[in-house]
Amino acid sequence: MSDQHSFETLAIHAGNTADPLTGAVVPPIYQVSTYKQDGVGGLRGGYEYSRSANPTRTALEENLAALEGGSLGLAFASGLAAEDCLLRTLLSPGDHVVIPNDAYGGTFRLFAKVVSRWGVTFSVANSSDPAAVRAALTPKTKVIWVETPSNPLLGISDIEALAGVARAAGVRLVVDNTFASPYLQQPLALGADVVVHSTTKYMGGHSDVVGGALIVNDAALGEELTYHQNAMGAVAGPFDAWLVLRGIKTLAVRMDRHSENATRVADMLSRHPRVSQVLYPGLPEHPGHETAAKQMKAFGGMVSFRVEGGEEAAVEVCNRAKLFTLGESLGGVESLIEHPGRMTHASAAGSALEVPADLVRLSVGIESGDDLLADLKQMLG
Ligand SMILES: *Cc1c(COP(=O)(O)O)cnc(C)c1O
C-alpha cells in the first residue's frame, strides 16, 4: 500500500493484503502459537513463535504504521502494556521524565507507583504551556510525555512547539494520541518521536477489545522497541489484533460522526443553566481552541463538563443517564458517561492530577445526535 494513498484508503487497505493461500480479502485470525520449519531455521513466512510475531498482528502493525505516518507500528495487549514497554525501553534508573498535569489516571499510576520504584523520577508540568515544560527539564530528563486532547480535562498541548522544546534539549517527545486518533491528528508529522495508543478506544471503536500500540519513525528506536516487545511479552493476541484492524476500517467515518455529535452536545451544554463549564476544544472559548484547530482535523468525540452543585449533583446527573451508558472507557460507537473523580481518575486523588469533583465526562457516540441531546437534557433535569 503506497503512502501516497489518502487516510481513508490506508485505513482499509494498509496491512490488509489478501491471504496468499485462499485469497481471503480480510487477514485471517492466525490463532497459532508456533510455526512448522522446513528444516532447522527454515521459516516460511519469517514466523517462528507468536510472541515474537504473528501474521494477524503484523497486519495490524503495518496498518498502524501507515495511519500514523511511521516506519514501524507495534501492537500490545493494552495501552498500559505499550506504555510500560516504551518506558522500560527509553529509561534507566536515575532518568527523569516530564509528565503532564492532566493525563489518563492509569498513565499517572504507572509513573507514580510502578516506574518510580525503579529509580526513575518525574516532574508534573502544565503541558499546554511549552515554557512550563521547558522549565521542568533537568539534566537527567530523557522524555517529555504529553496527552492531547487530555483525559479528562480536554486540555490541548501544542505538539509542534513541544517537539521544538524536546529537540533543543535532546530528549524524546512521546504523544498519547488516544483521544484524537490518527484520523484527526498525526503527532509524528508534527515532530513527536513516539505515538502511544490505547487501541481499546477509538481505534477498536466498538468496546469489545483491550489493546495498545506504539508507532515510531526512527529505525534504531524501532529495533529497540521490537526487542523489548518480544523480551517483555505483553503482545496483542491474534483475535484482539484482528478486532482492532477491523475497527480501524471505519475510523474515518466514525470520527467524523463522533466530532459532529460532540459539537452539538458541547453547544447545548454550554447554554444549559445547570452546567458551569464545558470543556471541549471545539468551543471558541476553550483556551486550546486555536492550537487544536491548527493540529487537528476536527475536535473529536470527548466532552467534559462541570455541574452546578458540586460532586453530589454531578454523580446524580450520571446516575440518571438512560441512553448514555454509565461506564468507564471511551471511544466506542455507543455513548458513555462517567464521573472521573470516583471512576477513571480515582487513582489520581490527592495528587497533582486530581480532577474536579463536579466533573462529568462524556464519550459521545455515533447514535442520533437528537436522541443524545434529549437524554442529556433529561439527566440535567
Ligand atoms: C485508556 C487509556 C490508556 C490506557 O489504555 P488501556 O488500553 O486501558 O491499557 C492510556 N491513555 C489514554 C488517553 C487512555 O484513554
Side-chain angles (χ1 to χ4, degrees):
M1 206 23 51
S2 146
D3 289 348
Q4 304 307 314
H5 286 100
S6 59
F7 185 93
E8 291 83 345
T9 304
L10 289 173
I12 293 167
H13 292 285
N16 286 269
T17 42
D19 178 44
L21 203 58
T22 64
V25 296
V26 171
I29 304 167
Y30 281 91
Q31 193 68 45
V32 61
S33 61
T34 190
Y35 305 80
K36 178 182 192 298
Q37 304 193 5
D38 296 325
V40 174
L43 307 180
R44 292 183 188 185
Y47 296 98
E48 54 189 5
Y49 184 60
S50 282
R51 169 161 37 71
S52 314
N54 169 281
T56 314
R57 197 174 93 220
T58 302
L60 170 61
E61 291 178 333
E62 289 179 6
N63 184 274
L64 290 165
L67 296 194
E68 286 287 2
S71 59
L72 181 78
L74 296 165
F76 292 85
S78 71
L80 285 177
E83 295 184 14
D84 184 34
C85 179
L86 175 62
L87 291 171
R88 287 204 267 161
T89 302
L90 294 180
L91 301 170
S92 300
D95 290 343
H96 174 263
V97 182
V98 179
I99 68 167
N101 61 347
D102 178 23
Y104 176 67
T107 299
F108 178 71
R109 183 176 55 204
L110 182 63
F111 279 107
K113 304 286 187 198
V114 181
V115 177
S116 65
R117 284 181 48 224
W118 301 91
V120 170
T121 60
F122 65 90
S123 306
V124 176
N126 174 5
S127 61
S128 59
D129 176 5
V133 171
R134 191 183 302 113
L137 296 171
T138 78
K140 306 217 154 173
T141 307
K142 289 278 162 46
V143 170
I144 296 172
W145 189 284
V146 60
E147 198 179 296
T148 182
S150 66
N151 183 358
L153 297 175
L154 283 307
I156 297 294
S157 298
D158 187 329
I159 297 171
E160 212 166 6
L162 290 172
V165 171
R167 216 175 305 118
V171 310
R172 285 199 161 104
L173 177 65
V174 176
V175 176
D176 184 334
N177 202 27
T178 298
F179 268 35
S181 90
Y183 177 63
L184 297 184
Q185 169 175 285
Q186 294 175 318
L188 296 179
L190 297 168
D193 298 289
V194 185
V195 171
V196 175
H197 276 286
S198 168
T199 55
T200 313
K201 316 294 170 52
Y202 287 105
M203 304 290 257
H206 295 74
S207 307
D208 54 10
V209 61
V210 171
L214 300 174
I215 301 100
V216 295
N217 238 333
D218 176 291
L221 177 57
E223 252 176 61
E224 277 185 76
L225 287 168
T226 302
Y227 179 87
H228 278 83
Q229 182 194 37
N230 179 53
M232 294 169 67
V235 295
F239 185 44
D240 289 356
W242 186 88
L243 280 170
V244 175
L245 193 60
R246 181 189 208 264
I248 286 173
K249 290 179 183 162
T250 54
L251 181 65
V253 287
R254 283 188 286 110
M255 291 314 292
D256 280 339
R257 181 61 169 268
H258 281 297
S259 300
E260 187 188 313
N261 278 351
T263 299
R264 290 185 65 193
V265 163
D267 280 348
M268 186 278 281
L269 291 174
S270 60
R271 280 180 275 107
H272 200 284
R274 289 206 55 216
V275 174
S276 53
Q277 191 186 7
V278 181
L279 306 171
Y280 186 62
L283 292 172
E285 62 267 32
H286 186 288
H289 177 67
E290 267 178 40
T291 303
K294 183 182 76 172
Q295 68 191 15
M296 298 176 76
K297 189 182 167 102
F299 301 101
M302 299 300 295
V303 179
S304 291
F305 62 99
R306 301 179 71 172
V307 182
E308 290 287 359
E311 179 164 8
E312 289 312 319
V315 168
E316 178 68 9
V317 167
C318 295
N319 285 339
R320 274 207 293 265
K322 288 194 179 122
L323 178 54
F324 278 79
T325 302
L326 178 62
E328 304 200 350
S329 198
L330 59 111
V333 291
E334 58 287 293
S335 294
L336 299 174
I337 187 169
E338 67 123 359
H339 184 267
R342 289 197 194 168
M343 294 169 64
T344 49
H345 289 67
S347 64
S351 77
L353 281 83
E354 184 170 300
V355 297
D358 58 1
L359 191 74
V360 172
R361 189 189 76 180
L362 304 175
S363 173
V364 180
I366 64 170
E367 302 96 332
S368 142
D370 290 342
D371 293 344
L372 295 176
L373 291 182
D375 192 37
L376 280 165
K377 284 179 186 157
Q378 74 76 21
M379 279 184 245
L380 287 162

